[in-house]
Amino acid sequence: YLVGHHLLLAHAAAVKVFRQEGYTNDGKSVIGISNSGDFRFPLHAESLDDQEAASRAIEFQLGWMTDPIFLGDYPKSMRRILGDRLPTFSSDEIKLIMGSADFLGLNHYSSALASTPSQ
């Protein structure tokens, strides 16, 4: 998770340079990010546990690299499950990362089923 954290910071720093150097002054140039986001369907559509598992899978894949840019932090489910293993952003880092994309490109390769494991 530390590498992904620094990847987001590097992305935001590159966007800052792109904008500060005037590459957007022509009114046509934009900068974004393309992330992978494979969809998950609940294995049993009526199961609340499977619905939550499907949502959690999407949050851990797509939300991990997208939520900080558009919402300012990692998904709450990641914070709850990973605890201290998930780095935190300083207030200056949040300012840098928030809005560091003019668009989101979505790479979607497949969909799958998700369920809560039986214990």
Side-chain angles (χ1 to χ4, degrees):
Y1 300 102
L2 190 58
V3 171
H5 186 79
H6 287 281
L7 183 143
L8 286 165
L9 293 171
H11 159 81
V15 170
K16 181 179 179 181
V17 169
F18 179 84
R19 290 176 176 161
Q20 285 179 338
E21 292 297 318
Y23 292 107
T24 58
N25 290 346
D26 64 3
K28 295 182 268 183
S29 299
V30 294
I31 190 165
I33 191 165
S34 293
N35 292 336
S36 293
D38 296 342
F39 195 77
R40 296 294 184 262
F41 293 96
L43 179 62
H44 303 288
E46 70 284 351
S47 166
L48 291 178
D49 287 342
D50 287 2
Q51 291 171 21
E52 290 174 4
S55 292
R56 192 170 49 251
I58 294 168
E59 289 170 351
F60 266 73
Q61 184 184 27
L62 180 60
W64 178 25
M65 292 289 124
T66 304
D67 282 14
I69 294 170
F70 295 99
L71 302 175
D73 199 11
Y74 298 113
K76 290 178 184 176
S77 63
M78 291 186 73
R79 288 255 172 246
R80 185 181 72 252
I81 293 167
L82 297 173
D84 291 341
R85 290 182 293 163
L86 188 63
T88 57
F89 295 108
S90 69
S91 58
D92 287 339
E93 290 170 337
I94 292 170
K95 289 176 191 172
L96 181 67
I97 291 172
M98 276 284 293
S100 63
D102 298 320
F103 68 90
L104 171 65
L106 180 60
N107 293 318
H108 178 271
Y109 299 105
S110 66
S111 295
L113 299 172
S115 66
T116 299
S118 57
Q119 299 200 13

